[in-house]
Amino acid sequence: LGAGEAALRTYASLGVKQIQLDSLGHLITPWAASSGFWAEVSLHCRNVLHVHDGCRRDSREFAHRALDCCNGARAAEIWQFQRDKLDRSTTKLWARCELIGLDLVLQCHSATKVVELLPQWETGPRLDDVSDDETFERVFGSLNIDVRARPAWTHSTSDGERSSRQKFVFRNSSAYHLATRELLAALLTDRQANAPLVDRVLASIRGAISDKLEQSCVDAVLSAYEAASAFKSDRDTSTKLFDVVSEKIADVATLLEALDPASTVEACHTRLRSAAVVLERTAPLLVVLCFADDASSKKKKAKGKKGKREKEAEPAWRLALSKALSSFLTLLTALKTSLKRDQTDEDAPAELPEESVLPEDGSRQEVAKL
């Protein structure tokens, strides 16, 4: 029922730390993210990556110690575990890719900020590594978790089926964020994206989404990419495409308006989760529209004599872009109003305290220093 804070507190009571983050860290992520606790999930992902970095350094050190002691079998065992289990960790892949989406939600509210973070994002996995089942299994196929910890998957009758389901979830999430990275890099820089691969991956992910609201959000983002790409080459051809963006945003707003306005726990949960879905999925949309708006606002300085001139009519593409921006602003305003209303409702969950509910351990302190 959207009890994200309660889930975080329960998870914190387990005292999960160090290598346990790789095997148990997946338990909290879906519930926290769907409740809007993105800062906590971001810290959690960075803790996972920090543990993996430390394990790789330790494996190298202890393998060398074993060799110094003429114990080659032990050195080979240590390095094989590192290579087969930790380097290929599906949780590690998910954490690195999830940070791309979380950065977009939490701090990338302009094209300039995305350009600053692109070098950091590009140090992660390649989209080719998760584009098909065979490659994914070879590069990131080590699922170091207990798949029986997902009792909600009652349709699964074996551990193998549950493992495949978990890998499918991780792979789709990672592929979506990597495709987002490729599209933003192609749009904001001079780098060329592998368009056929990106289109194939996004089409596959779009087809796997069952939630209608999430589908509409993804459709709005993809239409914005198409409009902005056309805007870069020929602004006049982008007019109709920006109109499509406005229509897609309106579809999202219509679905939100249709939500149950009751004060029941179930209704509050649905509204909270819907707001989290919209804010997370449409984060790239804000960057794309801001990029187009910034580019269109750059005017050349007028030369010649100063004097009053008649105001030129706005071109059609400018009006279409302004309409898309206005539609998105209206959508965000409606979300803010809905959340404010639920905040004063007696059935709404308590606010999260200022201090994080994640456990305070050595790895977290190291990440804070970084």
Side-chain angles (χ1 to χ4, degrees):
L1 296 176
E5 183 180 353
L8 282 168
R9 293 190 181 282
T10 302
Y11 177 79
S13 67
L14 297 177
V16 175
K17 60 180 65 177
Q18 301 303 328
I19 197 62
Q20 293 174 332
L21 288 168
D22 188 75
S23 57
L24 296 174
H26 69 286
L27 292 174
I28 191 57
T29 50
W31 320 121
S34 64
S35 299
F37 292 102
W38 298 301
E40 282 70 25
V41 176
S42 177
L43 176 60
H44 177 66
C45 290
R46 296 182 191 280
N47 280 337
V48 171
L49 296 178
H50 178 74
V51 166
H52 275 277
D53 289 342
C55 286
R56 188 168 184 80
R57 289 193 301 269
D58 292 344
S59 294
R60 186 182 297 110
E61 177 185 350
F62 288 118
H64 280 299
R65 288 186 184 182
L67 290 175
D68 291 340
C69 296
C70 301
N71 194 342
R74 181 64 66 188
E77 179 183 349
I78 293 173
W79 200 245
Q80 183 178 5
F81 179 82
Q82 175 65 41
R83 182 189 61 197
D84 296 343
K85 289 293 185 179
L86 299 181
D87 288 349
R88 296 175 58 242
S89 169
T90 310
T91 305
K92 176 184 176 183
L93 165 72
W94 169 85
R96 188 174 294 278
C97 296
E98 191 72 12
L99 280 175
I100 297 175
L102 293 170
D103 284 343
L104 284 170
V105 174
L106 296 172
Q107 55 181 316
C108 293
H109 303 151
S110 67
T112 304
K113 187 63 178 179
V114 172
V115 173
E116 292 178 4
L117 290 177
L118 274 176
Q120 176 182 330
W121 293 350
E122 290 172 348
T123 59
R126 301 179 306 160
L127 182 59
D128 309 58
D129 295 335
V130 297
S131 59
D132 60 81
D133 292 334
E134 182 179 352
T135 306
F136 174 79
E137 187 65 30
R138 184 180 73 253
V139 182
F140 298 109
S142 180
L143 190 64
N144 308 320
I145 66 176
D146 183 1
V147 293
R148 289 168 293 182
R150 288 288 194 197
W153 292 347
T154 54
H155 65 277
S156 300
T157 57
S158 68
D159 287 353
E161 290 175 344
R162 294 189 180 198
S163 177
S164 298
R165 173 61 179 170
Q166 182 68 71
K167 287 183 179 180
F168 175 79
V169 172
F170 276 162
R171 178 193 161 195
N172 263 15
S173 175
S174 301
Y176 180 81
H177 293 308
L178 292 177
T180 298
R181 180 192 67 186
E182 296 299 310
L183 288 173
L184 288 175
L187 181 65
L188 305 179
T189 67
D190 296 330
R191 201 184 75 181
Q192 295 294 323
N194 187 344
L197 175 62
V198 173
D199 291 343
R200 176 165 59 85
V201 169
L202 288 176
S204 174
I205 296 173
R206 169 63 174 77
I209 297 175
S210 58
D211 184 74
K212 193 171 182 180
L213 178 62
E214 192 172 356
Q215 286 180 350
S216 299
C217 292
V218 173
D219 288 342
V221 172
L222 296 181
S223 65
Y225 283 132
E226 185 178 0
S229 298
F231 177 83
K232 286 183 66 176
S233 56
D234 185 359
R235 295 185 177 184
D236 291 333
T237 62
S238 66
T239 303
K240 293 183 178 180
L241 296 176
F242 278 122
D243 287 336
V244 172
V245 175
S246 299
E247 294 173 2
K248 298 295 184 182
I249 295 174
D251 292 340
V252 176
T254 300
L255 291 173
L256 289 176
E257 291 174 359
L259 296 177
D260 185 4
S263 297
T264 62
V265 175
E266 291 82 359
C268 285
H269 156 60
T270 302
R271 291 194 296 272
L272 175 62
R273 181 191 174 279
S274 298
V277 167
V278 172
L279 291 174
E280 183 176 3
R281 287 302 191 187
T282 60
L285 177 60
L286 174 62
V287 175
V288 172
L289 292 179
C290 287
F291 160 76
D293 186 53
D294 292 342
S296 65
S297 299
K298 295 179 181 178
K299 299 180 180 180
K300 296 181 179 179
K301 293 183 179 180
K303 296 182 180 180
K305 297 181 179 179
K306 295 182 179 179
K308 294 183 179 179
R309 296 182 180 179
E310 294 184 2
K311 186 177 180 180
E312 298 180 358
E314 292 282 358
W317 60 263
R318 175 71 253 186
L319 296 175
L321 174 58
S322 298
K323 181 181 177 182
L325 285 166
S326 178
S327 299
F328 190 55
L329 178 60
T330 302
L331 173 63
L332 296 180
T333 303
L335 278 178
K336 181 179 179 180
T337 302
S338 175
L339 293 174
K340 284 288 186 182
R341 183 171 58 249
D342 286 338
Q343 188 177 19
T344 59
D345 195 295
E346 294 181 356
D347 291 330
E351 292 184 3
L352 190 69
E354 293 183 1
E355 62 273 13
S356 173
V357 297
L358 290 180
E360 185 79 34
D361 56 27
S363 63
R364 175 179 166 184
Q365 293 173 1
E366 291 298 323
V367 171
K369 293 178 183 178
L370 295 176

